[in-house]
Amino acid sequence: MNENLFASFATPTMMGLPIVILIVMFPSILFPSPNRLINNRLISLQQWLVQLTSKQMLAIHNHKGQTWALMLMSLILFIGSTNLLGLLPHSFTPTTQLSMNLGMAIPLWAGTVITGFRHKTKASLAHFLPQGTPIPLIPMLVIIETISLFIQPMALAVRLTANITAGHLLMHLIGGATLALMNITTSVALITFIILILLTILEFAVALIQAYVFTLLVSLYLHDNT
Amino acid sequence: MASPVPVKEKKLMDMKLGELPGWILMRDFTPRGIAGAFQRGYYPYYNKYVNVKKGNVAGISMVLAAYVLFNYCRCYKELKHERLCKYH
């Protein structure tokens, strides 16, 4: 049971070949590209959702920030669809791997910081010292602000990894507990099963919320720097 | 047993059951071949089930069911040990 708990997070191989790239590319099949003015129902639904999300997310940005629209929209679509597909039985979720989340978080965060330093150097450097700090505290506060800046990509990646991994692990554990209890006390197993159902609903919400939070934070860092 | 038309040019639906292993071995299993087969199979499915005026949930749920089955086959080796039986 202990080895099986983490086996679903191992790199997927099939007959010795790593197929993780296929699994990462799989959500792209579920988003066909629109060809016509009036499309089929799937594309129309996705178009409506993307317009709703993009209007809300890009409202706070100025012209320069809105050039990131494609990046932010594809980010939220990718993370949301990958997390939701991971809730299917036996599937592998790429966003449980810290490597992939770091690969998403670090370049995006670095892009926002470098944009800020290139275009508004003085304002970007001014972020390191909040307004109205007492003079003796300045050195320490600059150090603390620098640390908090460099922690941002780590926090982005680890937040996504930990949330999704923890949810999956909890579902495995509670599912295993339900199965084990079924032969002993059926009533307690029923309670555990209800807990599992509630947890699954929570996981659906978490999948979407985590995508949203990731994208929102990137957009916030962008707003600070444009 | 050898038919007048060579096995390679026949489509899957025209094959006889005995010729099937030979047909499978002749397929192009290079990445380019697999990508070509995938592209050839994607559009008929898409146009039949998704790209219609009144598409419903069956279009993508068949794809998701196939995905679940694919992942089950992938993990079968580990799942074999979790069956409910007396002696593993």
Side-chain angles (χ1 to χ4, degrees):
Chain A
M1 156 89 174
N2 291 330
E3 200 250 26
N4 291 334
L5 202 53
F6 291 103
S8 62
F9 298 115
T11 315
T13 56
M14 190 162 167
M15 305 184 295
L17 290 168
I19 49 167
V20 58
I21 296 201
L22 288 178
I23 295 187
V24 171
M25 293 197 311
F26 178 71
S28 64
I29 301 177
L30 305 171
F31 292 103
S33 46
N35 279 329
R36 308 184 156 142
L37 189 61
I38 310 281
N39 293 296
N40 54 44
R41 284 182 178 180
L42 183 68
I43 295 182
S44 306
L45 194 65
Q46 287 167 358
Q47 266 178 341
W48 172 75
L49 278 171
V50 167
Q51 274 170 0
L52 187 71
T53 320
S54 59
K55 279 200 181 119
Q56 209 236 345
M57 196 159 276
L58 296 166
I60 55 172
H61 289 130
N62 54 13
H63 183 69
K64 197 156 185 52
Q66 280 175 356
T67 54
W68 279 58
L70 182 62
M71 186 73 234
L72 293 174
M73 280 306 114
S74 38
L75 190 67
I76 190 172
L77 277 180
F78 175 67
I79 301 183
S81 60
T82 313
N83 289 346
L84 283 174
L85 278 176
L87 291 171
L88 291 170
H90 308 306
S91 52
F92 172 71
T93 323
T95 40
T96 53
Q97 310 297 311
L98 186 63
S99 50
M100 181 170 124
N101 294 336
L102 276 174
M104 284 196 294
I106 291 185
L108 289 169
W109 165 84
T112 62
V113 166
I114 292 176
T115 313
F117 272 118
R118 276 182 68 190
H119 297 281
K120 302 192 327 183
T121 317
K122 225 170 23 168
S124 296
L125 284 172
H127 277 312
F128 284 122
L129 193 62
Q131 232 178 1
T133 52
I135 308 249
L137 280 176
I138 288 183
M140 198 180 69
L141 215 55
V142 170
I143 295 177
I144 290 180
E145 289 288 326
T146 316
I147 295 177
S148 93
L149 180 74
F150 281 101
I151 267 199
Q152 280 173 353
M154 303 296 145
L156 270 177
V158 172
R159 180 185 304 114
L160 185 58
T161 312
N163 268 300
I164 307 296
T165 312
H168 284 226
L169 267 178
L170 223 73
M171 281 205 283
H172 273 276
L173 280 170
I174 295 189
T178 315
L179 264 179
L181 281 174
M182 222 157 45
N183 294 328
I184 307 174
T185 29
T186 319
S187 51
V188 179
L190 206 62
I191 297 176
T192 324
F193 185 63
I194 293 175
I195 296 179
L196 186 63
I197 293 182
L198 293 176
L199 194 60
T200 311
I201 297 174
L202 177 69
E203 282 310 306
F204 273 99
V206 165
L208 296 169
I209 290 171
Q210 284 304 314
Y212 175 65
V213 165
F214 196 100
T215 315
L216 189 67
L217 283 172
V218 171
S219 125
L220 231 59
Y221 301 152
L222 185 66
H223 184 62
D224 274 343
N225 285 315
T226 50
Chain B
M1 179 117 138
S3 51
V5 181
V7 169
K8 188 151 192 198
E9 277 111 41
K10 282 213 255 178
K11 290 177 152 186
L12 183 61
M13 289 297 147
D14 301 328
M15 296 291 298
K16 297 201 190 316
L17 210 59
E19 295 167 350
L20 209 55
W23 183 86
I24 291 182
L25 287 171
M26 294 231 203
R27 297 309 292 172
D28 186 13
F29 280 115
T30 63
R32 192 157 164 251
I34 294 182
F38 185 72
Q39 241 187 347
R40 274 198 313 263
Y42 172 77
Y43 286 110
Y45 181 86
Y46 180 66
N47 288 327
K48 183 168 181 195
Y49 288 108
V50 182
N51 202 9
V52 290
K53 209 164 173 183
K54 292 183 152 200
N56 51 14
V57 76
I60 50 165
S61 38
M62 279 198 277
V63 177
L64 293 178
Y67 181 63
V68 171
L69 203 65
F70 172 70
N71 281 313
Y72 182 77
C73 296
R74 182 180 56 85
C75 318
Y76 182 69
K77 229 172 177 179
E78 277 90 30
L79 290 170
K80 217 167 41 167
H81 303 293
E82 292 177 24
R83 286 191 286 212
L84 282 175
C85 55
K86 198 170 168 189
Y87 302 109
H88 278 263

